[in-house]
Amino acid sequence: TLYWHVKARDAAGNWGSWSVNRTVTILPPIPVAPVQVSPAASAMLGDNTPELTWNSVAYGATYQVQIAAISTFTTVLQDQTGSGLSYTASTLSDGLYYWRVRAYNITPVPGPWSVARPFTVDTTPPPVPVLSLPADGATPIGIPTFSWLASVGANAYEFEIATSSGFGGDVINTSPVQAVTSYRWANMPVGSGMPYYWHVRARDAAGNWSAWSSSRSVNPQTGVPLAPALTAPA
């Protein structure tokens, strides 16, 4: 707040009295809506205490962030105001949520809210996959293709094969994390006479991994050569 007044002087150098005082208050501009950074819109989160972040805005002195279960924010579940550009949510149950943020200038006068951005908390892993083929104890000819049934809610799988049923340090091959429900190890040794053990686990969109499936054994064999066909003499 500023105070001002004026006085006048004539050609002879005589000064008049000061005018009455006036005040003027200079208000800072109202900040614009912050831009949300993370989590991304409609993100699936395996963390029930997610960190919400946003960009700073000009004249933003403090920021207010809210979390609600509906996009209209008629019932606010969490409400926090501070000078930082992030907020770590208190523990949330699995489900769909919305969050928004706005800035206050130093007066403090708030600017508009950001958009209501949705995210889903999912801390429940998908079901353990059920193995399909080859059957437990199978002795297929050549390199087999390992397959399993799709796990509800899963979007990716990981396969492991080992020289012992305990796995641990005995794992000799691990598949890439992939969406398909089968895997073929192109360089798998066959005809060694020793069994191998394999199992699978599933991952959902929120990054939750299931437990490993039960394991199966497999002992691939080399093929028996066909009888040669005689050609000459007739």
Side-chain angles (χ1 to χ4, degrees):
T1 299
L2 303 177
Y3 301 85
W4 66 286
H5 61 187
V6 180
K7 64 179 179 178
R9 188 189 68 186
D10 62 18
N14 301 299
W15 282 101
S17 301
W18 286 105
S19 67
V20 296
N21 296 333
R22 283 190 177 181
T23 61
V24 59
T25 301
I26 309 299
L27 298 176
I30 296 175
V32 299
V35 176
Q36 293 143 297
V37 177
S38 65
S42 301
M44 296 288 294
L45 306 178
D47 179 6
N48 60 5
T49 58
E51 182 183 41
L52 314 177
T53 65
W54 55 90
N55 286 332
S56 63
V57 295
Y59 304 104
T62 57
Y63 298 87
Q64 181 183 13
V65 58
Q66 292 182 338
I67 299 175
I70 54 177
S71 59
T72 56
F73 286 82
T74 50
T75 300
V76 175
L77 302 177
Q78 297 184 34
D79 191 325
Q80 178 72 27
T81 300
S83 59
L85 299 176
S86 66
Y87 169 67
T88 299
S90 301
T91 304
L92 297 167
S93 302
D94 284 10
L96 174 65
Y97 297 93
Y98 298 85
W99 73 284
R100 63 182 183 178
V101 60
R102 64 179 175 179
Y104 286 79
N105 62 24
I106 60 173
T107 310
V109 174
W113 287 106
S114 67
V115 298
R117 178 179 281 193
F119 67 90
T120 299
V121 172
D122 175 12
T123 60
T124 304
V128 175
V130 175
L131 304 186
S132 180
L133 293 171
D136 191 22
T139 56
I141 301 300
I143 298 173
T145 295
F146 300 90
S147 64
W148 52 92
L149 303 182
S151 180
V152 177
N155 69 350
Y157 302 89
E158 186 176 32
F159 164 96
E160 281 186 344
I161 191 166
T163 55
S164 76
S165 58
F167 293 86
D170 300 315
V171 173
I172 56 175
N173 188 262
T174 300
S175 74
V177 176
Q178 54 190 357
V180 297
T181 56
S182 64
Y183 178 69
R184 187 174 188 272
W185 178 17
N187 296 319
M188 183 178 180
V190 297
S192 65
M194 59 181 285
Y196 299 99
Y197 300 86
W198 63 285
H199 62 186
V200 179
R201 64 176 180 167
R203 188 191 70 186
D204 63 20
N208 302 300
W209 282 101
S210 74
W212 288 101
S213 69
S214 58
S215 65
R216 286 185 178 181
S217 66
V218 63
N219 189 353
Q221 308 295 310
T222 55
V224 177
L226 298 175
L230 306 185
T231 57

